[in-house]
Amino acid sequence: MTQTPLVHADRVRTWLCDHALPLWSTAGIDPSGAGAWEALEHDGTPQRSRDKRLRVMPRQAFVFASAHMAGQGDYLALARDLFGFAMTRGFDPDTGHLAARLSPAGDILNAPHDLYDLAFMLLAAAALTEAGIDTSDALSRLKQSLNQLKAPRGWYEDAAHSLPRRQNPHMHLFEAATELFRVTGDPDWRAVADECLGLFAEVFLQPDGRVLEFYTRDWTPVTEGQAVEPGHMAEWVWLLDRYELATGQGAGAEAGIDADAMFGAAIAARDGAGLLPDSLLPASDSRRTWPQTELLKACLARRRQGKPELLHPDAVLAPMFAEYLETQVPGGWYDKRGLDGRLLSTDMPSSTFYHLHGACTAYLAAAED
């Protein structure tokens, strides 16, 4: 099938390599050695007095290790340092649990041993391993930490076995395990990915293409407080494609997964600007940056698979740039707007770079094919 060309590669490369990576590798990093700042102001200055989330450290480590592997700059030492900080300062010395929130100086404020945060530690380890860094000791500890959360099916959300059960941490554990299997070939990580895939096929994905977020202890969807986020529907399209690349096996019809229906439901959720709202259930009047990046990646995954272009990637990229990336500080972003286009965010969360770097790098790779 003839593919319509991708026309914004130069724009994407300039934003990412000339502006975003230099900005977030300097202004985005605490010079004291206490990891990455939680956010920058819209003028690019750090929010030095704000608490830090542990998850930002491995997310940024993943970004900078991935940038190194993509030939986007010399960021591997920074990636190693951020991951090292999380490994050495991120575990509570009394409980051994992974921290979630840190003080501005990097001291642990709470350590719930959250599955979501642990998934990103594993994802960072995968990227560093691929870049040639020895993470064997760290992976051994992280594997033990993950085993502490093992449930009869899936994994508990934290050490307290909090409810509701959540789709989102299992999605990111699927992502991390898929990448670890791709990089290391360790069958244990393939087994983790396959268990998450089974939950997705049999529990999370609904016949109409929606993905439900919250569940009871036995994986029954909750009736009160349920949510549907179209960004996650798009994200699963991308992650299923990554699984296929890593394993050489499809994750589609044989597992009962209709990714086409999920993608169709996601693109049907777009607003008049062609962008995704934060939530369909409950209906939201806002849209953050990250769902747009996942929609772009979903379009790129379908393009790689040779499927019909129901939505061209440039139809997502162009409004994403216009609404979120044309900022007063080159390489920054506006993180949240109303459906009417009003700017709602007041700063630039560091955690968003994980989404933007992944989308831009995927776009550049597709443009070169």
Side-chain angles (χ1 to χ4, degrees):
M1 178 182 296
T2 302
Q3 301 280 10
T4 306
L6 301 174
V7 301
H8 295 296
D10 289 344
R11 184 184 192 187
V12 170
R13 188 177 295 105
T14 297
W15 182 87
L16 179 62
C17 299
D18 294 351
H19 300 304
L21 283 164
L23 174 68
W24 291 92
S25 63
T26 55
I29 303 299
D30 184 343
S32 74
W37 299 115
E38 179 66 21
L40 300 181
E41 303 287 358
H42 281 158
D43 65 4
T45 58
Q47 295 186 342
R48 293 181 174 86
S49 63
R50 185 169 172 179
D51 289 347
K52 298 170 177 175
R53 289 177 299 166
L54 186 280
R55 68 184 60 170
V56 171
M57 312 310 162
R59 283 169 79 126
Q60 298 297 73
F62 173 77
V63 164
F64 293 122
S66 299
H68 168 81
M69 290 300 297
Q72 296 164 354
D74 185 13
Y75 299 105
L76 186 57
L78 176 57
R80 185 186 58 228
D81 290 347
L82 288 167
F83 182 70
F85 170 81
M87 287 298 303
T88 57
R89 301 275 297 275
F91 286 90
D92 185 281
D94 296 323
T95 64
H97 292 165
L98 185 66
R101 192 164 293 275
L102 310 172
S103 73
D107 300 317
I108 293 175
L109 299 179
N110 69 334
H113 208 60
D114 190 90
L115 179 63
Y116 184 101
D117 296 339
L118 187 54
F120 278 101
M121 294 292 287
L122 292 166
L123 185 64
L128 284 162
T129 300
E130 186 172 24
I133 301 297
D134 182 4
T135 63
S136 54
D137 289 344
L139 273 173
S140 178
R141 183 175 189 181
L142 292 171
K143 185 178 285 190
Q144 293 174 7
S145 296
L146 181 62
N147 289 341
Q148 293 172 23
L149 295 178
K150 190 67 185 76
R153 188 178 191 191
W155 286 261
Y156 292 115
E157 275 54 36
D158 55 31
H161 299 183
S162 299
L163 294 175
R165 308 293 298 276
R166 294 184 293 146
Q167 176 278 141
N168 196 12
H170 288 81
M171 178 183 71
H172 286 297
L173 181 57
F174 175 72
E175 174 185 26
T178 297
E179 293 305 308
L180 280 166
F181 176 72
R182 181 182 64 81
V183 170
T184 69
D186 185 340
D188 288 350
W189 295 118
R190 171 69 185 269
V192 171
D194 286 348
E195 185 164 354
C196 294
L197 181 63
L199 275 169
F200 174 72
E202 299 168 23
V203 178
F204 304 151
L205 180 61
Q206 306 304 299
D208 60 4
R210 297 180 306 152
V211 175
L212 300 184
E213 297 290 333
F214 301 120
Y215 299 84
T216 65
R217 191 171 299 279
D218 67 355
W219 289 116
T220 301
V222 302
T223 54
E224 297 293 329
Q226 188 55 266
V228 174
E229 300 184 21
H232 285 159
M233 293 149 60
E235 195 163 4
W236 270 107
V237 173
W238 169 259
L239 293 177
L240 293 170
D241 188 59
R242 294 294 296 177
Y243 176 90
E244 181 175 325
L245 287 169
T247 64
Q249 297 182 9
E254 63 272 21
I257 296 172
D258 188 348
D260 291 342
M262 184 169 57
F263 180 73
I267 65 174
R270 291 176 301 153
D271 64 10
L275 299 168
L276 289 180
D278 293 332
S279 176
L280 296 177
L281 178 69
S284 66
D285 60 0
S286 63
R287 43 174 164 78
R288 292 189 62 195
T289 306
W290 75 261
Q292 323 319 324
T293 68
E294 298 306 325
L295 182 60
L296 175 58
K297 286 158 61 181
C299 293
L300 293 169
R302 289 180 58 88
R303 181 185 181 91
R304 187 197 71 80
Q305 296 162 358
K307 293 187 175 181
E309 283 188 338
L310 302 180
L311 180 63
H312 191 276
D314 285 342
V316 181
L317 184 76
M320 186 179 84
F321 257 87
E323 295 275 352
Y324 301 101
L325 303 185
E326 293 177 355
T327 60
Q328 65 187 88
V329 176
W333 46 79
Y334 296 128
D335 192 62
K336 189 175 184 178
R337 289 190 179 274
L339 298 188
D340 58 1
R342 290 178 299 117
L343 182 62
L344 299 178
S345 56
T346 59
D347 56 32
M348 301 186 291
S350 300
S351 59
T352 303
F353 200 17
Y354 152 79
H355 292 284
L356 281 164
H357 182 268
C360 289
T361 299
Y363 184 95
L364 291 173
E368 292 173 359
D369 285 347

